[in-house]
Amino acid sequence: MTSPDHKPTASQPPVPTVKDRIYRSPMGLAGGVLLLAVVAWLGFDALIKGHGRTPWLALATMILVIPLVIAFTLRPAVFANEDRLRIRNPYRVITVPWGEVEALRSGFTNEVRTRSGAKYQLWAVPVSLRARKKAERRAASAARRSASDGAGLGSRGLGFSALTARGADSAGPTRAEGDKVMDDLRDLLDRRGEAESAQGGTTIRWAYEVAAPTVAGAVLLVILLATNG
C-alpha cells in the first residue's frame, strides 16, 4: 500500500509592513541645530580656554542645556499609520489607537483628546497664527479671483479661466502647514476609527534617556554654584 503523495504547502507571501507617516517641525529642527551649534561653540571654548571653576561650570551647563535643546526641538515627532497615532513629545511617547481617539483639535495648540478624557499636545505640529492668517488671506484672494473669472467666463473662455485658477493656486498654499497635518490625521481617524485592528488603550512611556542627563546636569550645576567661594 502506497501512501498518497503530499504536495508541499505553498509559502504565504509576507504581510507588507505599513510605514508610518512622520510629521516634524522644520523650523524646530533648524532652530535646534542652530542652538546646539552655539552651545557647543561656547561650551568647548570655555572648557579649553577657561580657568579655575569655569570649565566645570561650562561642562555642567552643557550637560543640562544640550538634552533640553534636543528634547524640545529635535525629538518631537508624530508617527501615524493605519492603526494608531504615536506622539513623541519632549519627555513622553504616547501611543493612541485610532479607536481610542475622540477628536483632534486645533486652537492655540494642536492636541489629541481620547475617549477617556485625556489630552495630549502635539509638540511636533505647532500652530503658527501668522501662517494661518496668511493662508486665509490667500484663500480669500483666490476665491475673489475665481468669482471674478466666473463672471467673465462667457466672454473670455474656459482656457483663460483655467489659466487664472492655476495662477491663483501657484501664489501659495491656502492652508497653513500645521492645519494640513491635522487634516491628514483627521482623515485617518475618519477612515480607521472603527477598524478592528485600530482598537485598544493608550500607552505612555517616559523618556528617561532624555530626562536623566537633564537632571544630572542640573544637580551638578547646583552643587558647583552652592560650593562657590
Side-chain angles (χ1 to χ4, degrees):
M1 181 176 181
T2 59
S3 59
D5 294 335
H6 295 281
K7 295 182 179 180
T9 303
S11 59
Q12 298 295 328
V15 179
T17 302
V18 179
K19 293 185 178 180
D20 288 340
R21 303 181 189 180
I22 304 175
Y23 303 97
R24 308 185 76 172
S25 170
M27 293 300 295
L29 294 174
V33 171
L34 180 61
L35 284 174
L36 286 176
V38 172
V39 170
W41 173 48
L42 295 177
F44 282 109
D45 184 71
L47 284 173
I48 296 171
K49 299 181 181 179
H51 301 283
R53 296 164 54 87
T54 300
W56 289 103
L57 289 171
L59 179 62
T61 302
M62 290 175 66
I63 295 175
L64 171 63
V65 173
I66 289 177
L68 283 175
V69 172
I70 292 175
F72 286 92
T73 60
L74 304 183
R75 176 178 169 80
V78 172
F79 305 86
N81 62 24
E82 297 292 310
D83 294 332
R84 54 100 179 104
L85 178 69
R86 182 159 60 95
I87 307 163
R88 193 172 71 188
N89 281 346
Y91 292 108
R92 293 191 300 178
V93 178
I94 304 104
T95 303
V96 189
W98 289 118
E100 179 63 13
V101 176
E102 180 182 24
L104 292 156
R105 298 187 176 179
S106 299
F108 292 103
T109 61
N110 291 315
E111 63 183 24
V112 176
R113 181 186 292 273
T114 65
R115 298 185 185 277
S116 61
K119 292 188 296 185
Y120 305 104
Q121 184 178 348
L122 304 181
W123 282 80
V125 190
V127 172
S128 173
L129 297 179
R130 179 182 178 185
R132 183 177 289 174
K133 291 179 179 178
K134 190 174 182 180
E136 289 174 353
R137 288 196 299 269
R138 285 174 173 167
S141 177
R144 288 194 298 269
R145 289 194 185 100
S146 178
S148 176
D149 294 340
L153 181 61
S155 58
R156 298 182 181 182
L158 180 59
F160 182 84
S161 297
L163 181 61
T164 307
R166 287 196 297 269
D169 293 339
S170 63
T174 56
R175 292 281 284 169
E177 288 301 322
D179 294 335
K180 288 182 180 179
V181 172
M182 295 302 287
D183 290 342
D184 289 344
L185 297 179
R186 290 189 185 100
D187 178 67
L188 274 172
L189 174 60
D190 292 340
R191 291 191 296 104
R192 301 293 299 171
E194 302 298 329
E196 183 178 354
S197 61
Q199 306 305 310
T202 301
T203 60
I204 300 175
R205 182 182 69 84
W206 289 89
Y208 296 106
E209 69 276 9
V210 179
T214 305
V215 174
V219 171
L220 180 58
L221 186 60
V222 168
I223 293 173
L224 290 172
L225 293 175
T227 57
N228 187 18

